[in-house]
Amino acid sequence: MPRILGREPALWLGLVAVLVKAATAFGLHVTPDQQALVNAAAAALVGAIVAFIVHDGAAAAILGLVQAAIALAVGYGLDWTADQQAVAMSLVAAAVAMWTRTQVTAPVPALAQLPLPSVASRE
């Protein structure tokens, strides 16, 4: 894991939560719901970073990150309907699936392209 997270990504998440609360206490005007959204987005971001670093579950982490980002944006006033959010998530899911396909290999080899036997006509 890179030095940016060290061995304690949970500590970084705790720091983000405390910083958001402290900023609110000293003048940042956000609602408790918006604080929760910021913390959820931070958790999704750290989860995605860890998934990329350990190469396990990156697709799910990306989708979770995008979902958290959309929730954060909607919480801060993005005027998207549920249908628009679903379409955005579908586009991201399709892109992630296409990327994932380039990163994996089949557990069995592809069959060789063999010529089909010719069928002799019987008269």
Side-chain angles (χ1 to χ4, degrees), residues 1-2 4-13 42-62 65:
M1 199 174 299
I4 191 166
L5 293 177
R7 293 178 47 134
E8 304 293 341
L11 289 177
W12 286 102
L13 287 175
L45 177 62
V46 169
I49 291 169
V50 170
F52 275 117
I53 292 168
V54 299
H55 304 291
D56 186 36
I62 292 169
L65 175 62

Side-chain angles (χ1 to χ4, degrees), residues 5-78:
L5 293 177
R7 293 178 47 134
E8 304 293 341
L11 289 177
W12 286 102
L13 287 175
L15 177 63
V16 169
V18 169
L19 289 174
V20 170
K21 289 177 185 176
T24 301
F26 289 102
L28 180 65
H29 300 290
V30 295
T31 67
D33 288 341
Q34 291 171 330
Q35 287 181 28
L37 289 170
V38 168
N39 290 329
L45 177 62
V46 169
I49 291 169
V50 170
F52 275 117
I53 292 168
V54 299
H55 304 291
D56 186 36
I62 292 169
L63 292 174
L65 175 62
V66 171
Q67 188 172 12
I70 290 173
L72 180 65
V74 169
Y76 275 97
L78 178 65

Side-chain angles (χ1 to χ4, degrees), residues 103-119:
Q103 305 301 308
V104 298
T105 57
V108 295
L111 295 175
Q113 294 289 336
L114 299 175
L116 294 174
S118 61
V119 178

